Amino acid sequence: METKKVSLELSGRIALVTGGGSGIGKVISLALAREGAEVIICGRNLTALQETAKEIPNSIYFSLDATKPAEVESLFRATIETFGRLDILVNNIGGIRQFKEFPDLTDGDWQEAFDLNVMPTVRFTREAIPWLLKSKHASVVNIASVSGKKVGNWNYHYCAAKAAELNLTQGLAGYLAPKGIRVNAVCPSTVKGDGMWERDIKNLARQKKISVEAARKHMEEGVLGKIPLGKICTPEDVAEAVVFLASDRAKFITGTAMMVDGGITRLL
């Protein structure tokens, strides 16, 4: 499915998408580019970044480890200074590596969840602020999760980290609003087709000692049973919400968490 251009007037704007080489981040990067933005993508996987950059005219890619502050700083010195400003920051880096019940989660698992989901947002936003201040259209969009609002029976460390990211979004929105910078979050439900979807299926297969195909069917049925709209979220659904929040169509929206969840959290 291809995200359609809806004339959100992003031509000439500079966008940085973290984790922009694959999965949701790649689809967000492509969507911003289709709306006219010049896109910078970064992440760990150099090959994925190079392949995605081929699909985006005039894009720049930068391989880094977002858990290392010096590498984040290097990105801004090496690329953002070239443009002299930044208009859009999409904090998309996140996820989990361990899929466990609460008693099995170690201190290391908890620390890693916050290192992957909270601290990259802190670091990239901190480095971006001086450049966003030079823009008349400054917008930060954090990719959070419904897990930050609605806790399930698994992944307590991930849920807590995403809740922290939502709290940080609100705090930054208040702090940066007088400076002309909007900060919002997009909260997808389970996204079919991204890296976490496939990892969760494999983890479920291991946990229940069933085949991957059986786990896939079990997961799809379980997810669909919770969604009033009767379909599973896609990366394109997330990208369209991000592009809207980054545009001037959302110029009076800040500090919000947009739920892209098919109605799961409608009662919260």
Side-chain angles (χ1 to χ4, degrees):
M1 175 182 172
E2 183 174 306
T3 305
K4 296 179 181 179
K5 185 173 180 180
V6 291
S7 300
L8 291 175
E9 301 172 358
L10 299 183
S11 296
R13 299 193 192 177
I14 311 302
L16 169 59
V17 182
T18 72
S22 60
I24 294 172
K26 175 179 179 177
V27 178
I28 291 170
S29 299
L30 293 170
L32 288 167
R34 277 191 290 272
E35 293 297 335
E38 296 183 56
V39 182
I40 303 161
I41 56 176
C42 68
R44 286 186 177 181
N45 190 325
L46 178 58
T47 301
L49 291 169
Q50 291 171 330
E51 290 303 311
T52 297
K54 291 177 183 177
E55 300 180 48
I56 304 175
N58 304 316
S59 63
I60 295 176
Y61 62 88
F62 194 98
S63 178
L64 55 69
D65 182 345
T67 65
K68 297 178 179 179
E71 295 193 17
V72 177
E73 293 168 9
S74 293
L75 163 67
F76 282 84
R77 287 197 302 271
T79 61
I80 306 302
E81 286 184 3
T82 301
F83 295 102
R85 75 175 198 282
L86 182 67
D87 302 292
I88 300 164
L89 170 64
V90 181
N91 285 307
N92 172 64
I93 288 174
I96 51 170
R97 295 196 180 106
Q98 299 298 325
F99 185 88
K100 300 176 182 177
E101 291 186 343
F102 177 78
D104 300 319
L105 289 168
T106 66
D107 283 4
D109 294 331
W110 282 91
Q111 185 64 58
E112 183 179 64
F114 278 77
D115 286 343
L116 287 174
N117 294 281
V118 181
M119 292 312 299
T121 298
V122 171
R123 293 184 183 115
F124 278 97
T125 306
R126 182 171 58 209
E127 292 297 323
I129 287 173
W131 303 102
L132 290 168
L133 288 171
K134 299 182 180 184
S135 171
K136 296 180 180 179
H137 310 279
S139 175
V140 178
V141 183
N142 298 326
I143 307 302
S145 170
V146 296
S147 297
K149 288 274 192 178
K150 188 177 180 66
V151 180
N153 296 321
W154 292 87
N155 303 333
Y156 293 95
H157 54 332
Y158 177 72
C159 295
K162 285 303 183 183
E165 189 173 18
L166 289 175
N167 187 281
L168 176 62
T169 297
Q170 291 183 326
L172 287 172
Y175 171 64
L176 293 173
K179 305 176 190 297
I181 302 172
R182 297 184 297 109
V183 185
N184 293 289
V186 172
C187 299
S189 53
T190 301
V191 180
K192 186 174 182 178
D194 75 338
M196 283 188 65
W197 171 264
E198 294 301 324
R199 278 201 304 273
D200 285 353
I201 288 172
K202 292 175 182 177
N203 283 326
L204 184 62
R206 283 194 293 269
Q207 291 286 337
K208 292 186 172 291
K209 298 180 180 179
I210 57 178
S211 70
V212 171
E213 285 310 308
R216 188 183 305 280
K217 182 179 179 181
H218 179 83
M219 186 163 165
E220 288 187 2
E221 290 175 349
V223 171
L224 280 170
K226 301 174 185 176
I227 302 175
L229 283 180
K231 57 183 179 179
I232 301 174
C233 183
T234 68
E236 289 77 14
D237 293 325
V238 181
E240 288 173 3
V242 171
V243 171
F244 167 70
L245 287 173
S247 76
D248 287 348
R249 297 286 181 90
K251 64 184 179 182
F252 201 61
I253 300 175
T254 195
T256 192
M258 180 180 287
M259 312 308 289
V260 183
D261 65 355
I264 290 176
T265 54
R266 65 197 183 283
L267 298 179
L268 292 181

